[in-house]
Structure formats: structure tokens, C-alpha cells
């Protein structure tokens, strides 16, 4: 099939490569001309801008967006809404808030343009391993796009699925990321305890390799931990500052709205906030209180 792709970051570019390998015609557009030229060299059709991309495609068109959530994606949906024709489709493969998907889909209906939200997991490994895809949208539209989904996924019937109406795809991906936060935090805390037991002189890379095979805590995240520790045994080159893409926050907000307790995911999100404070006032206050009521020593700057 024919696919238009706007946004050639690492994930978007790798998705284009999988489509091209699968025999699809891919028209690409990005502000970074170098990224466009690179994909042109492997078979993609270059487009100077979204208008040119739409013009280079045959109806009914399917235009994928792999853009950061927020104003950039919002603006592109608005622009594409004026360029596309009835029967065409926009697919948002980024990390959009699911309520925005539902609103955009309703707005596009007046022009007869379909909308699909695709939660995408797989990161830089997706090119070779395939992507996990969580798809929301009308059944007839998703079925038309099935060849593109099957090419991106690890297998035709593996690692992807139509999970519900518009919004459901990004909702499932949001919860996926919330779970990921909790798993990552548990691994991080466990390895910190291992490192703190200096008397045993543990080799953390060795431990990670042992756990990767046969252990009940084996996972892809543990595989990535092993790779990181192989490259830098003490992680001395990395600053302990942890960002978040927003989906962990949205998961916690949704849990509050639904009266569902999610203490692990919530605390994992808070731990990321803590990592961004070089000199936390709250930590200072805790130390001051301990000093006041118990006479405990405090460290001074």
C-alpha cells in the first residue's frame, strides 16, 4: 500500500524503513532535509512539505504522523484537515493524550477525513525487532490499513491489535507506559541496593546477565540494563536526571478519575521528579526536622 509519513525522528525513520522493506510506497516529509534525503536513498519518495506530500499520494490517502505530542501534532492535524479529501485518513503514531484523539476525530468528521490513533512501543529496536502497536479507530478504517500495521509489527498476527474506537489505542499505550514506570523503578531500586552492599563487591553486570536467563524477573528492560552496564559498569557517565514523556502523569490522573489505586506507578512518577532536584528543599526540611526533634546531625554546605 501507499503511506505518507510526517516526522522522521529515530522511530519515524525506522518505521519508514520497515515499510520500504515490506514493498510499500512511502512518501516522506520532515523539516530536517538530511533525514528526507537519507530515506530517499533507500527508496522513499521525498516531499518538501505536507501539501507536497498529499499531492504526491493517490486517494484514499493514509498519512502517518510521528511527531511530539502537543502543539506540533495539533497544528499538523489542523493543516492536514484542510489538505486531505473525504475518505483519506490521518494516523497519529506519537504519544498523544487519548482525549485529544477523540476531539480531533470528531472535528475531522465534518470533512469526511478518518482518524486513527496508534500507540507505538519498540523504540530504536523496532527497525529489526518490530513494533508493538495499539490501534484505535473505526473497524473499516483499521482494516484498510492492516498491511501497514502488519509490516511494522513483529508478525502479521503478533504484537499489534485493534483495541477499540478512536482514543483506545493511545489510552492502552498510556497505561503501558505507566506500568513501564513501575517496572523501571523496581529495577533501579534493586540495583541500587546491590551496589550499596560494598562488602560483597558485586559485579552488577554479571548479576544482570544471570537474571536474564531463567529468572522470573527477566524482561526486555533487564536486557537493556545488561547492555548499559556492559558499556559503563558504574554508570559514571550518566547524570541521575530522569525525564518523563507525560504518559506516566496521564496514567496517574486517569487512575484518580476512575478511583483506581495505583501506588506503584504514582510513586515511580514522583521518583522521577525527585531525580531533577539537585538540592531539594523538601530534603532540607526533613533533615531540619530530624535535627530539631532528635538532635540528629545535619550535613552543611
Amino acid at each position: 500500500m501507499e503511506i505518507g509519513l510526517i516526522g522522521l525522528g529515530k522511530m519515524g525513520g525506522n518505521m519508514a524503513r520497515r515499510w520500504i522493506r515490506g514493498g510499500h510506497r512511502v512518501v516522506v516529509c520532515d523539516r530536517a532535509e538530511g533525514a528526507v534525503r537519507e530515506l530517499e536513498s533507500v527508496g522513499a519518495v521525498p516531499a518538501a512539505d505536507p501539501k507536497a506530500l498529499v499531492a504526491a499520494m493517490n486517494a484514499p490517502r493514509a498519512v502517518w504522523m510521528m511527531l511530539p505530542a502537543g502543539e506540533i501534532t495539533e497544528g499538523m492535524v489542523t493543516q492536514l484537515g484542510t489538505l486531505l479529501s473525504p475518505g483519506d485518513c490521518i494516523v497519529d503514531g506519537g504519544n498523544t493524550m487519548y482525549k485529544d484523539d477523540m476531539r480531533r476525530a470528531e472535528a475531522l468528521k465534518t470533512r469526511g477525513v478518518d482518524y486513527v490513533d496508534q500507540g507505538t512501543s519498540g523504540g530504536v529496536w523496532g527497525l529489526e525487532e518490530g513494533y508493538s502497536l495499539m490501534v484505535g479507530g473505526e473497524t473499516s478504517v483499521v482494516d484498510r490499513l492492516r498491511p501497514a500495521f502488519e509490516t511494522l509489527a513483529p508478525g502479521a498476527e503478533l504484537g499489534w491489535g485493534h483495541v477499540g474506537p478512536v482514543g483506545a489505542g493511545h489510552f492502552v499505550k498510556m497505561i503501558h507506559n505507566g506500568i513501564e514506570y513501575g517496572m523501571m523503578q523496581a529495577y533501579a531500586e534493586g540495583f541500587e541496593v546491590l551496589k550499596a552492599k560494598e562488602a560483597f563487591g558485586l559485579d552488577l553486570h554479571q548479576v544482570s546477565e544471570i537474571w536474564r536467563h531463567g529468572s522470573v524477573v527477566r524482561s526486555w528492560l533487564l536486557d537493556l540494563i545488561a547492555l548499559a552496564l556492559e558499556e559503563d559498569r558504574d554508570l559514571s557517565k550518566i547524570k541521575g536526571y530522569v525525564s518523563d514523556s507525560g504518559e506516566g502523569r496521564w496514567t496517574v490522573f486517569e487512575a484518580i478519575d476512575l478511583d483506581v489505586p495505583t501506588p506503584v506507578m504514582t510513586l515511580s512518577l514522583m521518583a522521577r521528579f525527585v531525580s531533577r532536584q539537585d538540592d531539594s528543599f523538601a530534603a532540607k526540611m526533613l533533615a531540619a526536622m530530624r535535627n530539631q526533634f532528635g538532635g540528629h546531625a545535619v550535613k552543611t554546605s
Side-chain angles (χ1 to χ4, degrees), residues 6 50 53-54 63 65 75-84 90:
I6 299 176
L53 179 139
V54 171
V63 179
M65 301 184 305
M76 186 55 65
V77 170
T78 300
Q79 183 178 2
L80 288 173
T82 65
L83 296 172
L84 295 174
I90 296 173

Side-chain angles (χ1 to χ4, degrees), residues 183-212:
M183 293 174 67
M184 291 173 68
Q185 186 65 28
Y187 278 127
E189 292 176 6
F191 275 92
E192 183 165 20
V193 175
L194 291 172
K195 182 175 176 57
K197 192 64 174 178
E198 296 179 355
F200 286 165
L202 298 170
D203 181 337
L204 301 190
H205 177 251
Q206 179 195 32
V207 173
S208 69
E209 290 290 353
I210 292 170
W211 287 354
R212 287 181 61 212

